[in-house]
Amino acid sequence: MTTFELELKQSLIRKLMQTDDQSLLEKVKSILIPNPAEEEKEDLFYFSNELKEKIHTAMEQAENNQTIDSENVDKEVQKWLEE
């Protein structure tokens, strides 16, 4: 990204933050997000495939009662800290 592009983006962000014109904000949104349905599909956070897989595995383990309660986790951590 060039310095010009960065400065332009920063300038636009400042202007957007300063405006209270709802109509203008809606127009900008429609330009930047032409298909609102697609926006809803986007993840709020980016998760790598590896992290998604780990989350999926953890959820399956929870559904299958393959979990450890917090009391036992605390005991295991305490043992580990004492080593």
Side-chain angles (χ1 to χ4, degrees):
M1 180 179 325
T2 67
T3 302
F4 174 76
E5 291 170 331
L6 182 59
E7 289 174 359
L8 178 58
K9 286 180 179 185
Q10 290 172 337
S11 173
L12 290 170
I13 290 169
R14 279 193 299 276
K15 294 293 183 186
L16 285 171
M17 295 301 292
Q18 293 171 353
T19 188
D20 292 326
D21 184 340
Q22 187 70 30
S23 175
L24 175 63
L25 293 171
E26 290 295 329
K27 287 176 185 176
V28 170
K29 181 180 178 183
S30 70
I31 293 169
L32 295 175
I33 308 168
N35 187 354
E38 289 300 314
E39 179 187 24
E40 294 173 10
K41 292 178 184 177
E42 292 181 19
D43 291 335
L44 182 57
F45 300 102
Y46 171 77
F47 295 114
S48 66
N49 288 335
E50 180 183 5
L51 182 56
K52 286 178 184 179
E53 186 177 314
K54 288 181 179 186
I55 292 170
H56 179 72
T57 299
M59 291 175 71
E60 284 180 345
Q61 289 172 333
E63 288 173 4
N64 295 323
N65 295 321
Q66 298 171 328
T67 59
I68 302 172
D69 61 62
S70 61
E71 187 176 312
N72 285 329
V73 169
D74 291 340
K75 288 178 184 176
E76 290 295 320
V77 169
Q78 190 59 40
K79 283 182 194 176
W80 177 75
L81 290 173
E82 291 172 358
E83 290 181 356

